[in-house]
Each structure stands twice: as C-alpha cells, then as structure tokens.
Amino acid sequence: MLRVAGARLLDDRDRGGVRAALDADPVAACMVAARVEIAGLDPWRLGGELWAVGSRMEGLCFSGANLVPLRGERSAIRAFADRARRHGRACSSLVGRAELVLPLWEDLAPGWAPAREVRADQPLMVLAGPPTVRPDMQVRPVRIEELDRYLPAAIAMFTEEVGIDPRAGDGGVGYRARVAELVSAGRAFARFEDGEVVFKAEIGALSSRVGQIQGVWVHPDRRGQGLGMLGTAAVAARLAAWGKISSLYVNGFNHRARATYDRIGFQQVASFATVLF
C-alpha cells in the first residue's frame, strides 16, 4: 500500500521521470504527453500543472482545462482530490481511465457536484497500423482559408457531442482560435462537397507515438452512407503514414459508432470515463 503525505507540484527537474511514466501508458496518456513533449512541465507553458504522489511518481495527475488522473492507487487518488479541492474547480471536465476518474469523482463530488453529465463507459480504442477498409480519398487536411466553411461543422459536432454551444461565453472567439490552431497544424480533416463539409474529424492530440482522433462528424443529410467509416479510416491512414498509433474513445452507448470503428480495425484496450461540468 502506497503511503502518501500529499500530492506535490512537479517542475522541469522532474521531466525525465514524467516522460518515463507517460511512456508506460502511451495511449491513455496521449493528451498529456503531447503537451509535455512540447512545453515541458512549466505550468505557464504547459497550460496546467502536473501533480505526483510517491518518490517514483506512483501517482500522476494533470490539472488544467481538464483534470486528468494518469496513474495511482486509491490513496494517490485521494491525495489528488485533496489538492483539487484546495485549489477549487477550474476544469471543465474530468477525463481519463475509468478506474481512475470514477474514484476521483467519488471523492470530489461532495464539493463539486452536480456534474452536468457523467459518462462512465467510454471504450478507448486503438489501431496500430493502417485501416482495414479503403480510406475516403476525398478526405484531406483543411486549409486555413477554408476555416469559415469548416467552423460551422465543428460547432455542430461540439454541440451534439458535449451538449453545449462552444460559442457560449465569449461569442466563439476561444473555440475559433482552437479550431484555427488545429487547421494550421494540418490536424483538421474534411470532405467538402459543393463547398460544404459533409465529413470532419481532427487529431486532437499528437504525441511522439500516438494520435488521438476526435470530433468525428457527418452532415445529418449524409448519415448512414459510410462517410464516417471511410473518413475516419482516412485520418487513421494519415497517422499510420506518420508512424503513429491511432486512438480514440467513444461513448459506450453509441453502438453504431463502435461498430464502425470495429470495421476500420480499431480494438478496445481500456475504458475511459468523462465527468462534464
């Protein structure tokens, strides 16, 4: 049993140990690993803090726009909850491996509830190599001059998936900037027909080993025609060409999407959970 005195804040002196810990779980840790590889552990550059428990980082948690527990026994999760309570809730969600997120939420719920939604079963799926179906060759990276045509599809996807309009609060300035960043990085993909997006997806996080596909969306008028499967396969093929593992997570109740990803060749390797505020 790990004995803890509390979760401590890490800095760049801990970078080697953090990288080793993240490398031990590259798919589940992709979102955080992508940040650390670029920004190091300085909170200002990282956009959040990394907390650890134990001399060898037996417990690890990222605290930023999302609260992401990465590893740890129950005692470490309690230590992370204690530190999060002291800081107050600044995150929009808890997300990560279900076996870590759900106990963390159990500890935080008395002070942080109610959550807007708890998604307790989200299969984390992986494709290590090219897809098993032929990709849609009309799916390509979005060009920055196409941002205004791409953005309505991104807003529609976010609203459907998360349940809120991403333009709320600041009129969409922040969300537009995030989408523009993905487009500029060549990580937003779409199929255009007559100037309109009929399929879209993004590589939301890209580490040295893994690319996490997110925001898969098909225009309502074109659903049921295979665009989602072949379009997602196109993004996975791009990641395979880059030498990356493709990953994504999906709501457990979305049986249609799960069947689509199965056909592409994705296999479940773990379960995620998300608590939305």
Side-chain angles (χ1 to χ4, degrees):
M1 177 67 69
L2 177 66
R3 292 182 173 83
V4 296
R8 69 183 190 279
L9 175 64
L10 301 180
D11 59 32
D12 268 327
R13 292 171 295 182
D14 303 295
R15 191 167 183 171
V18 168
R19 289 290 299 270
L22 298 176
D23 284 347
D25 193 13
V27 175
C30 174
M31 290 181 285
V32 177
R35 290 173 171 265
V36 170
E37 289 171 6
I38 293 172
L41 302 189
D42 176 75
W44 186 83
R45 296 183 63 231
L46 185 62
E49 298 180 346
L50 269 167
W51 306 337
V53 165
S55 60
R56 297 186 179 180
M57 300 182 195
E58 291 89 348
L60 191 65
C61 183
F62 173 79
S63 175
N66 304 305
L67 187 61
V68 187
L70 294 157
R71 64 193 300 185
E73 297 178 357
R74 191 68 181 89
S75 55
I77 296 301
R78 292 192 187 98
F80 295 141
D82 288 344
R83 187 173 183 112
R85 277 193 298 267
R86 291 197 302 272
H87 283 221
R89 186 180 70 80
C91 61
S92 62
S93 70
L94 277 65
V95 61
R97 283 183 172 270
E99 67 267 26
L100 301 175
V101 167
L102 297 177
L104 181 59
W105 175 235
E106 180 182 337
D107 290 343
L108 290 171
W112 283 15
R116 186 164 52 84
E117 186 177 358
V118 178
R119 300 178 179 179
D121 177 25
Q122 297 178 301
L124 177 64
M125 309 185 77
V126 164
L127 176 63
T132 57
V133 299
R134 184 173 182 179
D136 184 346
M137 301 307 293
Q138 294 189 53
V139 171
R140 58 169 176 80
V142 179
R143 297 187 289 268
I144 193 63
E145 62 268 23
E146 297 171 317
L147 177 61
D148 287 334
R149 284 190 283 163
Y150 181 78
L151 196 58
I155 292 169
M157 177 283 304
F158 189 99
T159 304
E160 287 181 31
E161 174 63 23
V162 181
I164 58 174
D165 190 324
R167 296 168 293 184
D170 66 355
V173 173
Y175 187 68
R176 180 188 176 89
R178 171 58 178 158
V179 173
E181 180 183 346
L182 290 170
V183 170
S184 296
R187 288 163 42 193
F189 298 82
R191 173 175 173 145
F192 290 90
E193 292 183 0
D194 298 323
E196 185 177 28
V197 175
V198 296
F199 166 85
K200 67 161 288 292
E202 295 144 5
I203 302 170
L206 185 66
S207 73
S208 60
R209 298 173 63 184
V210 180
Q212 187 176 88
I213 299 172
Q214 67 174 31
V216 177
W217 180 86
V218 176
H219 191 286
D221 293 343
R222 300 296 306 278
R223 292 175 185 175
Q225 301 175 21
L227 290 178
M229 178 177 66
L230 301 183
T232 304
V235 180
R238 183 65 62 101
L239 283 167
W242 293 346
K244 312 285 188 182
I245 297 169
S246 295
S247 77
L248 53 81
Y249 59 99
V250 59
N251 291 317
F253 56 77
N254 193 341
H255 300 293
R256 187 170 186 173
R258 292 178 65 179
T260 293
Y261 299 139
D262 286 342
R263 290 185 63 188
I264 295 170
F266 282 90
Q267 296 183 333
Q268 183 175 353
V269 294
S271 292
F272 262 26
T274 302
V275 180
L276 296 166
F277 299 107

